[in-house]
Amino acid sequence: MKSLIIAAARTTALFLPTIAAAQGTVPSAPPGAPMAAPITQSVPDPVDAPYPGGTIRLDIDASDTQRGAYRVTESIPLTPGAKKLTLLFPQWLPGNHGPRGPLAELVDVRFFADGKPLTWQRDPVEVYAFHVDLPVGARELVAKFIHTSPLQTSEGRITMTPEMLNLQWEKMSLYPAGHYVRRIRIKPAVTFPKGWTAATALDGAQASGDKVTWAETDYETLVDSPIFAGVNFRKWTLGHDVTLNVVADEPELLAVSPENLAKFSSLVDEALAVFGKPAFDHYEFLLALTDRMGGIGLEHLRSSENQMEPKNFIDWEGMDWDRNVLPHEFTHSWNGKYRRPARLWTPDYRQPMQDDLLWVYEGQTQFWGFVLAARSGLQTRETVLGMLATQAGGYSEQPGRAWRSVEDTTLDPVFAARKPKPYGSLARSEDYYNEGALIWLEADQVIRSGTGGRKGLDDFARSFFSYAGGGHSSATYEFADVVAALNAVYPYDWATFLHTRIEGTGQPAPVAGIERAGYRLVWRDAPNPFDKARMDDAKNLSLYHSLGVTIDREGTVTSTRWDSPAFNAGVVNGAKIVAVNGRAYDGEKLQQAITAAKGGSKPIELLIKRGDKFFTVPVGYYGGLRWPWLERAGKSTAPLDQLLAPRRSTALK
């Protein structure tokens, strides 16, 4: 394996003469013209061998909640005679599917040996690498630095508040270059604020005052075992060695009724019914009920990091739309952490990940997130149908489908990093999640139809994702393995089925699975339960399928659908709607105007403010209010109803 930058430079150099030869000339550089300086790789590639220095000690003081600072001391034993050590800050982060390591938040970096400061240099090409010069006879390198949590959302995701924290080891540790991370041993310790309780999947916890240490582990397991801690904390046992650990902004937010708590246990039952034996020996749901710490949904083998809105437990019905993160991330323990695409598994956090099979890793996880939410009762069937309708409706009016495939969207995490886009409907984003889910719904229905209902995607999941033993935390796969496993469940031309839907451009909206499952996509003049709850919570108005805009509570346009009536009239992101048909703007007046214009010929007049200028914009739209719904095609129970029904007697309806 070679450095990505170095490999690219060498490839370019190789092709230049070829291009010149094809053109019939090999031009020479004019006198004095600049020539490319050679790039020398100075970071060693990883090998599957233990770090020879011994066990690293990592000590983090996470008690400064006022300033959001994690103060780190990392003691790294050295091999005798070592003259230089290269340390890496994790760059390509598992579950992020891209180079997201927040290096800018690692500050005040200093290195010492025998109490004396050492000279170091950041690698000029691979800037996540630190080269440290070692004095003769040094036996241990001590690194001291600070990881600074963002304090406001404009700086990044907030991970520490006065009430809670989310400690992610990869953001506040370095590791020796040249070794598979599973071969680097480390012993962690954290000092928490007084009176706080911490939860993590790490084993062997021992507390002394506010400091907690854990048993020695390997660096890969450490990075895969984050911490949630807080002053307001409760935990519940869900059965099957699964625990729900919850921190909250306020203590009263931790109150959950026995009936609703049972739905978390039902989620565990239903997941085990689908996937079979897990690769974890115990599992920790880490859940934050907060609007102060940043949102997250991130998978790990033996735990998951989850954020939900603060009142989720005490307003169970009203927050039904917000709980899908839990079944999604739990599914990932089997699909994503244990079974993983071959090129998404990497030996360290320097080697780039290749995301082309994320439509399995994330797409099928999204599918099971919907299904398990309904089967367990963690979300209502009506909300899950609304989620499916919202996705199907969005893809039914998405101009970006004409030029960009689902497979190409798997690269979005690498180059877009979830940055807001001016025209997301044309650019597309990480559609491998939800379009992937709808494609897997179609695959499920193909199997059920072909087997007379005897088999479905449940059978594929149990055979493909169930833990096979052997002591390995991951088992990798390729496209051909997915096809073979599907054919073992039901013989079909699965390769063509998947190639067409995943790699093709200009594909029809992915509603075939919905239609095979006995439902159809329809349009109504009121939002479905999921869309309504989301809009109520965000206090915005989505008119994506009518005017083609989403508007915040102040009347500012936050997104515009490409080639929509609003777009064609010149209404774009950032414009503020001041008035509708001569009346001061509010969301209700705009909806009334859309309804009044239905079937007519008189445009809706919007007074728009952009910068310091005002414009009157006529919008020629006459189709009325439109939101997507799923409607059962017949009167009897449909295959989709059967798919969403509980599988175990212990699951709640």
Side-chain angles (χ1 to χ4, degrees):
M1 135 194 42
K2 296 293 183 186
S3 161
L4 185 64
I5 296 173
I6 295 169
R10 291 174 179 171
T11 301
T12 302
L14 285 171
F15 274 102
L16 284 175
T18 305
I19 295 169
Q23 296 172 343
T25 61
V26 182
S28 59
M35 301 296 289
I39 296 176
T40 302
Q41 180 176 340
S42 55
V43 179
D45 292 328
V47 295
D48 193 10
Y51 171 64
T55 301
I56 297 168
R57 299 191 311 279
L58 180 63
D59 196 324
I60 299 174
D61 183 347
S63 62
D64 191 354
T65 61
Q66 183 70 24
R67 297 166 188 82
Y70 300 84
R71 293 176 170 83
V72 183
T73 300
E74 186 170 0
S75 303
I76 305 165
L78 303 170
T79 55
K83 297 180 179 179
K84 179 175 284 189
L85 183 66
T86 297
L87 297 172
L88 298 175
F89 184 75
Q91 179 180 9
W92 288 80
L93 302 184
N96 290 259
H97 315 313
R100 306 282 184 86
L103 184 58
E105 295 165 14
L106 193 77
V107 298
D108 200 19
V109 180
R110 303 167 191 271
F111 299 99
F112 302 88
D114 298 324
K116 298 177 181 179
L118 303 179
T119 59
W120 61 274
Q121 183 180 24
R122 196 188 303 268
D123 192 275
V125 175
E126 299 190 52
V127 297
Y128 281 68
F130 297 81
H131 303 296
V132 186
D133 295 320
L134 303 174
V136 175
R139 301 304 302 270
E140 183 178 73
L141 171 67
V142 177
K144 294 187 176 184
F145 47 86
I146 299 172
H147 168 71
T148 51
S149 168
L151 301 175
Q152 49 193 352
T153 55
S154 61
E155 299 167 345
R157 177 177 173 259
I158 298 169
T159 66
M160 182 184 282
T161 75
E163 298 81 24
M164 66 181 66
L165 63 80
N166 175 196
L167 189 153
Q168 297 171 306
W169 305 98
E170 70 275 13
K171 293 181 172 62
M172 52 197 78
S173 61
L174 303 171
Y175 67 96
H179 303 273
Y180 279 31
V181 289
R182 68 188 180 199
R183 307 300 296 274
I184 299 170
R185 304 299 294 176
I186 191 163
K187 184 172 178 58
V190 178
T191 300
F192 295 100
K194 188 174 182 60
W196 283 30
T197 304
T200 178
L202 289 172
D203 297 319
Q206 292 187 333
S208 177
D210 299 320
K211 185 174 183 177
V212 181
T213 60
W214 290 270
E216 178 184 317
T217 186
D218 61 80
Y219 191 66
E220 182 179 44
T221 300
L222 181 75
V223 167
D224 202 41
S225 306
I227 295 173
F228 272 25
V231 65
N232 306 309
F233 176 93
R234 286 191 69 181
K235 72 175 181 178
W236 294 268
T237 299
L238 304 180
H240 306 285
D241 297 311
V242 178
T243 304
L244 176 64
N245 306 272
V246 188
V247 293
D249 288 338
E250 305 293 343
E252 60 268 22
L253 299 173
L254 294 167
V256 61
S257 71
E259 176 186 2
N260 291 331
L261 181 62
K263 295 171 184 176
F264 292 99
S265 295
S266 184
L267 170 61
V268 177
D269 293 337
E270 292 289 354
L272 290 168
V274 171
F275 302 116
K277 186 177 181 180
F280 57 77
D281 54 350
H282 66 93
Y283 188 93
E284 310 294 325
F285 279 109
L286 307 177
L287 173 60
L289 301 176
T290 181
D291 57 8
R292 301 170 189 171
M293 190 168 75
I296 193 170
L298 190 59
E299 65 270 16
H300 305 281
L301 183 69
R302 302 197 301 168
S303 65
S304 57
E305 299 168 87
N306 310 275
Q307 177 270 337
M308 299 193 307
E309 293 304 303
K311 294 184 178 180
N312 221 291
F313 283 8
I314 62 175
D315 182 15
W316 188 267
E317 183 177 345
M319 301 305 299
D320 189 63
W321 65 275
D322 187 42
R323 283 190 287 276
N324 198 256
V325 64
L326 295 171
H328 180 99
E329 300 304 340
F330 192 42
T331 295
H332 267 318
S333 183
W334 288 270
N335 178 14
K337 298 307 294 185
Y338 172 54
R339 293 308 308 270
R340 197 178 310 180
R343 283 167 295 282
L344 263 174
W345 184 92
T346 55
D348 66 0
Y349 308 121
R350 168 177 169 253
Q351 177 174 318
M353 301 171 182
Q354 298 178 53
D355 293 348
D356 56 300
L357 289 176
L358 278 178
W359 51 271
V360 183
Y361 181 123
E362 294 290 4
Q364 194 169 141
T365 293
Q366 191 80 338
F367 168 85
W368 288 115
F370 295 150
V371 171
L372 292 176
R375 289 183 183 179
S376 66
L378 201 61
Q379 289 180 288
T380 64
R381 174 180 163 279
E382 289 72 26
T383 291
V384 172
L385 290 176
M387 295 166 74
L388 291 169
T390 297
Q391 301 308 326
Y395 294 130
S396 295
E397 297 183 322
Q398 185 192 51
R401 306 179 61 76
W403 74 273
R404 195 174 184 196
S405 68
V406 173
E407 183 180 56
D408 192 64
T409 71
T410 66
L411 300 175
D412 231 56
V414 179
F415 64 79
R418 297 190 175 176
K419 171 187 174 294
K421 299 178 179 180
Y423 298 105
S425 62
L426 182 62
R428 305 197 74 175
S429 185
E430 297 177 19
D431 289 342
Y432 54 86
Y433 276 91
N434 287 305
E435 184 156 357
L438 293 172
I439 291 169
W440 285 113
L441 173 59
E442 184 182 0
D444 173 80
Q445 294 304 307
V446 168
I447 296 170
R448 292 182 190 280
S449 175
T451 62
R454 295 187 306 275
K455 293 182 178 181
L457 207 61
D458 293 65
D459 299 272
F460 168 84
R462 192 171 186 87
S463 66
F464 197 70
F465 297 121
S466 183
Y467 181 56
H472 303 297
S473 60
S474 293
T476 61
Y477 62 86
E478 300 277 9
F479 177 85
D481 299 313
V482 177
V483 170
L486 285 167
N487 275 315
V489 174
Y490 173 63
Y492 191 75
D493 188 0
W494 291 110
T496 299
F497 175 94
L498 294 171
H499 280 310
T500 300
R501 289 156 180 78
I502 300 298
E503 298 171 11
T505 57
Q507 290 294 300
V511 297
I514 291 169
E515 293 169 352
R516 279 177 171 267
Y519 277 74
R520 59 190 169 213
L521 177 67
V522 298
W523 303 93
R524 297 179 183 173
D525 61 4
N528 66 58
F530 175 69
D531 278 342
K532 184 178 187 307
R534 258 196 331 174
M535 288 191 294
D536 288 347
D537 182 76
K539 295 180 173 55
N540 66 13
L541 177 61
S542 174
L543 300 171
Y544 180 91
H545 300 290
S546 51
L547 289 188
V549 292
T550 300
I551 307 164
D552 71 12
R553 70 175 80 184
E554 304 297 330
T556 300
V557 175
T558 58
S559 69
T560 308
R561 174 164 57 89
W562 187 269
D563 204 26
S564 66
F567 171 89
N568 291 331
V571 181
V572 296
N573 298 1
K576 184 173 182 177
I577 303 175
V578 178
V580 181
N581 290 339
R583 302 171 66 197
Y585 169 83
D586 65 45
E588 189 64 32
K589 289 190 181 75
L590 181 54
Q591 292 180 72
Q592 291 171 357
I594 293 171
T595 300
K598 184 177 181 180
S601 59
K602 184 178 180 180
I604 301 166
E605 284 200 352
L606 302 179
L607 178 62
I608 300 294
K609 181 177 184 289
R610 289 188 67 186
D612 60 355
K613 292 183 172 60
F614 290 82
F615 307 88
T616 298
V617 177
V619 181
Y621 173 70
Y622 313 104
L625 294 168
R626 296 173 79 244
W627 282 278
W629 288 70
L630 292 193
E631 179 180 88
R632 190 182 290 120
K635 294 183 178 180
S636 60
T637 300
L640 182 56
D641 301 319
Q642 297 168 348
L643 174 66
L644 300 180
R647 287 297 185 267
R648 289 180 52 119
S649 60
T650 53
L652 300 180
K653 296 183 179 180

